[in-house]
Amino acid sequence: MLGSLAGVLFTADALHTQTGHANEVTARRAHLLVQVKANQPTLFKQLKRLPWAQIPVGDRTRDRGHGRRETRTVKAVTVATPGGIAFPHAQQAVRITRTRTVAGKTSRETAYLTVSLPAGQALPRDLQTWIRRHWHIENCLHHVRDVTFREDLHQARTGTGPAVIATLRNTAIGWHRTTGATNIARATRQANRCSHHLITAVTSSYPTTQ
């Protein structure tokens, strides 16, 4: 969730590219910036088929570091017209292209998004900033949950099991962050060898029973 000149802006991954979510956010006088993937095939095709070659580049950033060069190019076009795209309250369609070169090998990734803010309130440079902030959150949290803790492979599917396991994962990640860990995978391996440290930290705040 971010602040914008027009109020509150929610950013979310493709899981939340749902009509109900868009309507709920709009009903609360907020705005929504979401990525569109193959889970919304009709919308994805509509965005992909827009005349992007004719749309000028709105913003471009370049980063270099750790043997990596990356360029992010943003294009945006107003779609709030009859027959625009099949997603409620969408004001703009966005395409961001990331070109990355590592060890002499270049790869390219294209992402499509919609935003319920009009062009006057969400310029391409604003979209670039908001999208990068969202991806930073994904890298810090969701990537850790998906890769380090292998959340998608876990077999807990019924009852309160998924919620309990998710709470334990979040507790572990939060603990490692507060203790200064920058590599959660490494911190988890160390915790496995010294599990009593975490147990002591969690239980030490409880009063002893007389």
Side-chain angles (χ1 to χ4, degrees):
M1 184 174 68
L2 303 170
S4 71
L5 292 177
V8 176
L9 172 70
F10 288 90
T11 65
D13 57 24
L15 179 66
H16 297 281
T17 310
Q18 305 290 340
T19 296
H21 294 181
N23 289 333
E24 179 69 18
V25 169
T26 302
R28 296 177 181 272
R29 298 184 179 180
H31 295 279
L32 186 64
L33 170 63
V34 287
Q35 187 168 351
V36 178
K37 294 184 178 180
N39 65 318
Q40 292 283 353
T42 300
L43 178 59
F44 182 77
K45 289 179 182 178
Q46 287 180 327
L47 293 178
K48 192 173 181 179
R49 290 173 179 172
L50 288 172
W52 294 109
Q54 303 170 28
I55 299 169
V57 172
D59 189 64
R60 179 180 284 120
T61 62
R62 293 182 174 89
D63 293 323
R64 181 191 298 265
H66 305 288
R68 171 185 57 84
R69 288 183 294 130
E70 185 170 286
T71 301
R72 300 180 187 86
T73 302
V74 176
K75 291 186 175 184
V77 60
T78 297
V79 293
T81 57
I85 59 174
F87 194 67
H89 313 293
Q91 293 283 326
Q92 295 187 80
V94 183
R95 190 185 78 171
I96 181 166
T97 305
R98 294 190 293 185
T99 304
R100 178 178 297 180
T101 301
V102 180
K105 296 183 178 180
T106 300
S107 61
R108 176 174 294 181
E109 176 185 1
T110 301
Y112 298 95
L113 306 95
T114 71
V115 62
S116 61
L117 284 167
Q121 297 175 340
L123 299 174
R125 64 174 178 270
D126 299 320
L127 296 168
Q128 174 91 266
T129 299
W130 297 332
I131 294 166
R132 290 189 66 178
R133 288 180 183 175
H134 177 77
W135 283 343
H136 176 73
I137 293 172
E138 283 196 332
N139 290 337
C140 289
L141 177 59
H142 300 299
H143 180 78
V144 171
R145 292 172 60 173
D146 293 341
V147 177
T148 303
F149 289 91
R150 299 183 181 181
E151 186 173 61
D152 290 342
L153 299 179
H154 202 276
Q155 298 301 308
R157 293 288 186 271
T158 60
T160 59
V164 171
I165 296 299
T167 299
L168 293 174
R169 291 192 190 98
N170 290 337
T171 300
I173 294 171
W175 162 256
H176 292 316
R177 295 291 188 200
T178 58
T179 56
T182 56
N183 186 314
I184 301 300
R186 183 188 303 121
T188 299
R189 291 193 295 270
Q190 294 172 345
N192 288 338
R193 295 191 293 269
C194 304
S195 57
H196 59 282
H197 288 171
L198 180 57
I199 295 172
T200 300
V202 171
T203 60
S204 61
S205 60
Y206 289 96
T208 56
T209 302
Q210 300 296 329

